Amino acid sequence: MDWDKLLNEAIQYLQEYIRINTVNPPGNEIEGARFLKKILDEESIPCQIYEPSPGRGSILATLKGDGSKRPLLLLSHIDVVPVEAEGWEVPPFEGLVKDGYIYGRGALDCKSLGIIEMMALLVLKREKITLKRDIIFLATADEETGGRWGVQWAMENIPSLKEAEYALNEGGHIILNENGTADRYAISNGQKVIFQLRLRAKGTPGHGSMPHPDNPNVKLIRGLDTLTKWETPYYILPSVKEYFYKMAPKQPPYERSFFEDIEKGLIDPTFSTWLTSNPVYNAMLRNTISLTIIQGGTKANVIPSESTATLDCRLIPGTKKEEFLREIRRRLGDEIEVEVIAESESLPPSPLNTALYQAIEKSALNNDPGCPIVPFLLPGATDSRFLREKGIITYDFCPFRLTEKELLRVHANNERIGLENLKLGTKVLVEIIKGVST
């Protein structure tokens, strides 16, 4: 295969894909689906667009195998988050190439994944690879606002999707260290549980010139001050324990034993403080609470009658929500009402003793010998939760080489992807698909 030629093809496709504005809301993913369909039609790969709500389009394509094994699903999403254009070095919807990178909203999250998944299908079709399982390509709407018109709808209305044995989706990456070498293959086999709360304090309205003790803003601030200082207890899943164990050989000698037995290590207050200063590690080890919205008052000289706050809580799978909520209420006190406004199911992580995970490990050993392959509990939420609900073994792994600093560009200004990552990502996906499907 001429990988340089394939890279040029992938670059062109990703540039065109980025130029289709699919900011959600409103989404308009149907235009992205039509773009992908045109390419797949030219390659004679059967595909179909679904539009459950006007403009909210998803596309499903299938590369047929002999059916001796159940299908493998390649998932991505078409929609992207909004931009603050004035903060970008380049226009965010032009897909410009600069210094070896393609810039644009969706370059990392996750139009690039959609392109390399599609490219993998094209390579397998062109090379006439004999497959034992169908390879399903699904690019969906609405991931960024909950999945109602995307994967959630698709899993309820497209019966063939439930036949899949495995799925690959966004989430994990090949993480590089400061020297640019592979530090770890982070493969997410599970994610934290969404549990979002609205707090409400009520009081007596009045003139701002005459303070009184029944001010709802003061009540709310007082309760939030107590709650946000709460250091929730550690809750270590077996896969998280394995993550740190496999990372231990890369640590300095004085930290190695702490990583080898993370539960024992966290007893040490110095190590615990240092480790949890890393937001990702902290989120893997405990339930988290983020204060994201505060609303109270409309005029500078008016004490309001009510104020509210929103908490984005993410729970370790297996956490009893009722107990967590009871503790929240206890810490806030009787003056603040608490309402659950959004939640997801508490699902166990996907198992690691599978043919797909072994195929990923084999690819990693071929490309980066000696680099640890670690299971990763994703702090955020992806569409994978809808697949795991249906019993599909799902791994969040996008085979791009990225530093932790580069990952911070997701949802931020100047989002970009290195051109070489498009070549690498396509090659690795083809390796993995062949490893589990031939």
Side-chain angles (χ1 to χ4, degrees), residues 236-253:
I236 315 299
L237 293 179
S239 59
V240 172
K241 190 169 184 175
E242 182 178 348
Y243 174 96
F244 286 103
Y245 178 80
K246 288 189 171 181
M247 291 295 294
K250 288 181 165 286
Q251 310 311 311

Side-chain angles (χ1 to χ4, degrees), residues 265-333:
L266 289 169
I267 296 173
D268 183 285
T270 302
F271 175 75
S272 175
T273 300
W274 171 79
L275 189 72
T276 56
S277 67
N278 181 315
V280 175
Y281 288 166
N282 183 63
M284 292 170 65
L285 296 167
R286 56 169 29 130
N287 298 326
T288 57
I289 303 168
S290 289
L291 172 61
T292 53
I293 302 172
I294 299 179
Q295 295 173 314
T298 57
K299 202 168 186 293
N301 63 349
V302 177
I303 297 172
S305 62
E306 181 176 295
S307 57
T308 63
T310 301
L311 301 178
D312 185 7
C313 305
R314 302 297 171 112
L315 309 183
I316 300 289
T319 298
K320 294 181 179 178
K321 294 177 183 176
E322 300 82 3
E323 293 182 4
F324 181 79
L325 186 59
R326 192 180 306 122
E327 183 63 18
I328 290 278
R329 287 181 169 137
R330 187 187 73 79
R331 290 175 178 271
L332 287 170

